[in-house]
Amino acid sequence: MNIPIDKVQEAALEIMRRAAIEIPPDYREGIKALQKKETGKLPRFVIHAMQDNWDAADEDRRPMCADTGLPRYYVKVGNNASVENGFVAVERALRHATAECTVTIPLRPNRVHPLWRTDHNNNVGINAPEVEWSFEPDMDWIDITTVHKGGLFGSDYRMLFPGDGIDGIKRFLLDTLIAFGKRGLACQPAIVGIGLGGSKDTCMQLGKQAACLRTVGDRNPDPKVAELELELMQLGNSIGMGAMGFVGSGMVVDCHIECGYTHTGGMPISVHTFCLSSRRSTARVHASGEIEYRTDPQWFTPYLRRETVEW
């Protein structure tokens, strides 16, 4: 049975609306936990104001931040799934949903041509919105996740060498977070995603997915990586900055690391922050047309993290 394409578009419209307006409960709880430990007066004030703003947005059903970022989609397809009119129709539906939501929610029309500044006022253009695909065996549904992450700052990359080791990772993380905080390049408290390894583009992709597609409190299944996540979170909170860069003790709500096998001569690293407007929403569309909504993308599965050849 084919998944109805009108249900795909319906789901895409709804997750765009939810992502723009509602803060996921795991991030809300993470902020509450951070708030209890915050020592700075100004950061505590900012966190209170953030929470009031979230509540007001939810009550008024309006976007919780003026900058609704660069909307993007992550699509996970079950290997047994088929969609009415095929997967080109899915991409068309996602582009239509983005344009429609820009008007109806509304989202800020941020997308312009990089040279000519052409603006269609709908967040759609060449290579926009981004759609990343993944697959899952033995399933017949399609999962659609949207993330509203700002597109200007909050990401950085460096090629380290194997000899730099864990200490090199820590140095780069500290350099990056301090620069973000001092220069206003990110809105803390943030979920920090770190990509380790892969090629340069894969490293950037993994880091962004680690920031945007895992929930607060989720730990990497590799116990040593999970231990490093906790250590780097504590390190980020030892810098002396709190919310929005004010002097404080709560800059990082959580830290997630995703790894990819890389060239033997290097250790690429990327750092990404999913800011105080950590906005994501997911829908699962079944062949029956039923749609289930949730806030956990469930993007990183054992299949996605598979390590070697399955003989």
Side-chain angles (χ1 to χ4, degrees):
M1 183 183 295
N2 288 334
I3 296 172
I5 194 65
D6 63 328
K7 291 295 180 180
V8 171
Q9 183 151 342
E10 177 185 331
L13 290 165
E14 180 61 18
I15 59 175
M16 275 280 174
R17 186 183 65 80
R18 294 185 184 211
I21 297 171
E22 302 167 3
I23 293 296
D26 62 279
Y27 185 72
R28 278 184 176 265
E29 291 303 313
I31 284 293
K32 286 180 183 176
L34 197 73
Q35 188 178 22
K36 292 176 182 174
K37 301 175 185 174
E38 178 56 71
T39 56
K41 183 178 178 181
L42 274 174
R44 285 203 304 272
F45 171 80
V46 171
I47 291 173
H48 277 300
M50 285 167 49
Q51 292 166 324
D52 289 345
N53 184 56
W54 294 345
D55 293 339
D58 203 12
E59 184 176 340
D60 295 344
R61 306 308 294 163
R62 296 177 62 83
M64 56 75 52
C65 183
D67 185 355
T68 47
L70 298 179
R72 61 173 53 225
Y73 292 100
Y74 297 88
V75 182
K76 185 181 287 290
V77 179
N79 191 48
N80 299 333
S82 60
V83 182
E84 179 186 6
N85 299 329
F87 288 95
V88 169
V90 173
E91 288 199 321
R92 286 183 180 141
L94 299 182
R95 290 172 74 86
H96 277 286
T98 303
E100 184 173 338
C101 287
T102 301
V103 175
T104 58
I105 290 176
L107 307 177
R108 192 165 77 180
N110 283 334
R111 296 276 193 175
V112 297
H113 190 285
L115 291 175
W116 324 129
R117 318 310 286 181
T118 308
D119 187 350
H120 300 297
N121 288 315
N122 59 13
N123 282 310
V124 175
I126 302 170
N127 289 314
E130 292 87 351
V131 181
E132 292 186 31
W133 298 85
S134 177
F135 303 95
E136 197 68 18
D138 305 322
M139 303 299 171
D140 62 357
W141 39 250
I142 179 170
D143 269 5
I144 308 169
T145 297
T146 189
V147 166
H148 293 184
K149 185 182 185 307
L152 290 178
F153 306 112
S155 297
D156 207 349
Y157 168 88
R158 185 173 294 174
M159 176 59 79
L160 301 178
F161 294 100
D164 291 319
I166 301 294
D167 286 343
I169 293 170
K170 292 177 181 177
R171 277 195 298 272
F172 181 61
L173 177 67
L174 286 173
D175 288 348
T176 303
L177 293 184
I178 290 170
F180 286 175
K182 290 179 69 173
R183 299 173 62 200
L185 302 181
C187 297
Q188 304 88 8
I191 301 172
V192 175
I194 297 176
L196 284 179
S199 55
K200 183 175 182 178
D201 53 335
T202 302
C203 183
M204 292 293 286
Q205 186 181 36
L206 285 173
K208 182 168 286 188
Q209 291 177 357
C212 301
L213 300 179
R214 287 175 53 188
T215 57
V216 174
D218 179 44
R219 297 271 72 87
N220 191 289
D222 183 325
K224 291 182 179 177
V225 175
E227 186 178 343
L228 185 59
E229 289 178 336
L230 292 172
E231 186 178 355
L232 295 184
M233 179 172 63
Q234 293 171 358
L235 186 66
N237 285 330
S238 71
I239 290 173
M241 290 188 197
M244 299 303 287
F246 291 114
V247 174
S249 58
M251 195 172 189
V252 180
V253 178
D254 204 349
C255 180
H256 299 145
I257 300 172
E258 290 298 328
C259 301
Y261 274 39
T262 191
H263 192 287
T264 185
M267 186 173 65
I269 177 173
S270 68
V271 173
H272 306 257
T273 58
F274 201 18
C275 70
L276 58 84
S277 306
S278 288
R279 297 159 294 183
R280 53 174 146 73
S281 185
T282 298
R284 176 166 294 176
V285 188
H286 296 272
S288 63
E290 180 190 3
I291 305 173
E292 301 172 86
Y293 294 100
R294 62 179 193 269
T295 55
D296 180 357
Q298 299 174 15
W299 180 259
F300 290 100
T301 62
Y303 178 74
L304 192 65
R305 290 182 173 126
R306 64 196 185 280
E307 191 158 354
T308 186
V309 178
E310 299 164 356
W311 296 105

